[in-house]
Amino acid sequence: MRRVYLDHSATTPVDPAVVSAMTPYFNEIFGNPSSVHQFGREAKVAIEEARGKIADFINAEPSEIIFTSGGTESDNFAILGVALAGFKRGKNHIITSKIEHHAVLDVCIYLQKNGFDVTFLEVGSDGIVDPDDVRKSITSRTCLVTVMHVNNEIGTIQPIQEIGKIAQEYNIPFHTDAVQSLGKIEVDVKNLNVDLLSASAHKIYGPKGVGFLYVRKGIYIEKFHHGGSQEAGRRAGTEAVPLIVGFGKAVEICAERMNYDYEHVSMLRERMVNGIYESGFDEFLILNSPLDKTIPHILNFSINSSKIEVDADALIYGFDLRGIAVSNGSACTSGSLKPSHVILALGRDEKTALATVRFSFGRGNTVDDVDYAVEVFAEIVRSFVDKVALK
């Protein structure tokens, strides 16, 4: 059976060059980077080289990069760390949006249950946060604004630069989750006006289990990993040297080919959109990804429940049975029978939100992959239409 992977927003295959870069650090250069002898110093040098590559890529200083276990930890670290620091100054209000990844939403809900007020901003039908809503929500107790750069389900690019300027006006720390934007579009922390930024390696052809948190100089953040002086005393625990080296290499590759990758997936997305609309079943579909406001790596459709009844599980399994990997939302909530909070926030009804499919493109995808996926999508929709006709 043909196998096509169209779920690159969930994870990506590790680039062979990344694997090669990592390999020596498993059994040749294996020292603990906190050790003062030669073995440790070699590992420490490798970490700092990777830190420098990442810092250069986002226009930051190496000292502003803290390595973590991934995007979820980075989000948790940023939000909890800044919130606890703010709480000590009598500030206990956080502003975020309703379409954040659960790594942000769930932390905010946790804090809401423990003495914090949280404003969950609505988004427009296009999935975009209105910066004016951020301004209107600020109070004297606001200690943090956190809005993601690119949405992981529909691909919308948020007005981070504008929101950052507003946060700066009020001297409020501003965090963005850049897990889906790093390596795909420009991420410049100075241009974006952000104080904290989260990212993960496995979304950009790097290894799983490593991410980073950018913390601008001058931003105080409480640490919640205790037990050692690693990462300049900000995150205890022996660093995962091979993974960090792999992250650095993945970023290096992105720096070289990001523009090419962008053009490639743009072509694939355009072909898929055209193919789906030419299939004859577009009247049953709702496009959740506004093409002029999203990254081209993500394309999200729902089947309109007001026009056709759909078995949501059958939709995704229908692709899987034909060898195509897609998803109906965030990989972190796969298996959940609940509709996507992101699609609901766009104003879709629950049945429509359940009948949603996300295609996410990557370097290895081809025109043939897209054509096959369009063909299968049309077959699946046709099967639903035929069932309705038989009733």
Side-chain angles (χ1 to χ4, degrees):
M1 181 175 63
R2 181 171 183 175
R3 285 162 57 88
V4 175
Y5 188 76
L6 292 173
D7 199 19
H8 290 83
S9 290
T11 196
T12 56
V14 181
D15 190 290
V18 171
V19 175
S20 296
M22 292 168 59
T23 300
Y25 294 90
F26 285 105
N27 54 17
E28 295 176 27
I29 311 172
F30 59 85
N32 187 319
S34 294
S35 299
V36 296
H37 49 61
Q38 181 180 353
F39 292 86
R41 292 197 304 273
E42 289 174 340
K44 183 68 172 177
V45 167
I47 287 176
E48 297 313 315
E49 287 180 351
R51 198 188 310 275
K53 291 177 183 177
I54 291 168
D56 286 345
F57 192 56
I58 66 170
N59 194 21
E61 297 296 324
S63 61
E64 296 174 318
I65 303 297
I66 304 171
F67 286 114
T68 68
S69 64
T72 295
E73 184 193 329
S74 294
D75 285 338
N76 274 249
F77 191 178
I79 296 166
L80 288 172
V82 173
L84 292 176
F87 193 74
K88 291 180 177 180
R89 306 192 312 275
K91 295 180 179 291
N92 66 337
H93 175 235
I94 297 169
I95 299 171
T96 189
S97 83
K98 286 189 172 182
I99 64 166
E100 299 297 306
H101 189 279
H102 280 288
V104 169
L105 287 179
D106 288 1
V107 182
C108 290
I109 291 169
Y110 167 79
L111 288 169
Q112 194 175 37
K113 294 176 180 177
N114 288 274
F116 281 80
D117 293 328
V118 182
T119 298
F120 296 94
L121 299 174
E122 302 280 353
V123 295
S125 59
D126 58 0
I128 302 292
V129 173
D130 185 342
D132 284 340
D133 288 344
V134 175
R135 184 185 295 277
K136 293 172 185 176
S137 300
I138 293 172
T139 75
S140 60
R141 296 182 295 107
T142 305
C143 61
L144 175 68
V145 176
T146 175
V147 176
M148 69 196 326
H149 191 190
V150 167
N151 184 266
N152 56 302
E153 295 191 29
I154 60 175
T156 46
I157 305 169
Q158 299 298 333
I160 297 302
Q161 187 179 42
E162 192 173 348
I163 295 172
K165 285 182 179 178
I166 293 170
Q168 285 178 352
E169 280 182 45
Y170 292 88
N171 197 29
I172 298 169
F174 177 42
H175 164 254
T176 192
D177 177 334
V179 167
Q180 292 293 345
S181 59
L182 184 79
K184 297 171 185 174
I185 58 176
E186 182 185 50
V187 174
D188 181 321
V189 293
K190 293 183 175 62
N191 184 51
L192 290 175
N193 301 313
V194 296
D195 300 301
L196 305 101
L197 180 144
S198 304
S200 180
H202 77 101
K203 307 292 188 179
I204 59 167
Y205 306 91
K208 296 175 181 64
V210 63
F212 74 80
L213 175 64
Y214 157 78
V215 181
R216 183 177 61 78
K217 286 180 181 177
I219 295 295
Y220 180 71
I221 181 169
E222 288 276 349
K223 64 180 180 180
F224 65 98
H225 273 224
H226 301 269
S229 59
Q230 292 88 353
E231 295 303 289
R234 297 173 295 184
R235 182 189 184 270
T238 302
E239 295 96 339
V241 182
L243 304 184
I244 290 171
V245 169
F247 199 176
K249 185 63 178 180
V251 162
E252 181 183 316
I253 294 169
C254 284
E256 295 171 352
R257 60 173 296 157
M258 188 169 71
N259 291 337
Y260 173 81
D261 287 344
Y262 187 94
E263 292 175 3
H264 176 64
V265 298
S266 295
M267 177 271 294
L268 295 177
R269 183 180 70 168
E270 182 180 4
R271 189 177 184 92
M272 175 163 277
V273 170
N274 291 338
I276 288 173
Y277 284 145
E278 291 168 4
S279 68
F281 294 99
D282 57 292
E283 64 177 298
F284 301 103
L285 302 177
I286 299 174
L287 177 62
N288 296 315
S289 301
L291 301 183
D292 60 338
K293 300 176 182 179
T294 58
I295 60 170
H297 307 68
I298 297 173
L299 184 63
N300 189 301
F301 280 96
S302 291
I303 299 179
N304 192 337
S305 67
S306 68
K307 295 190 175 183
I308 185 172
E309 186 177 337
V310 173
D311 181 334
D313 287 338
L315 176 61
I316 301 302
Y317 292 145
F319 281 100
D320 190 40
L321 288 172
R322 293 164 176 80
I324 301 175
V326 295
S327 73
N328 60 353
S330 171
C332 296
T333 54
S334 291
S336 171
L337 294 177
K338 295 180 180 179
S340 161
H341 67 286
V342 174
I343 305 303
L344 289 176
L346 300 181
R348 315 292 185 236
D349 64 89
E350 191 167 311
K351 287 184 178 180
T352 298
L354 280 168
T356 295
V357 57
R358 177 188 70 181
F359 303 97
S360 46
F361 311 103
R363 291 174 188 165
N365 288 136
T366 65
V367 166
D368 287 343
D369 291 340
V370 167
D371 291 346
Y372 179 55
V374 169
E375 178 186 328
V376 169
F377 198 12
E379 288 178 8
I380 292 171
V381 176
R382 183 182 297 112
S383 70
F384 293 136
V385 173
D386 291 343
K387 284 181 182 177
V388 172
L390 290 172
K391 289 184 177 180

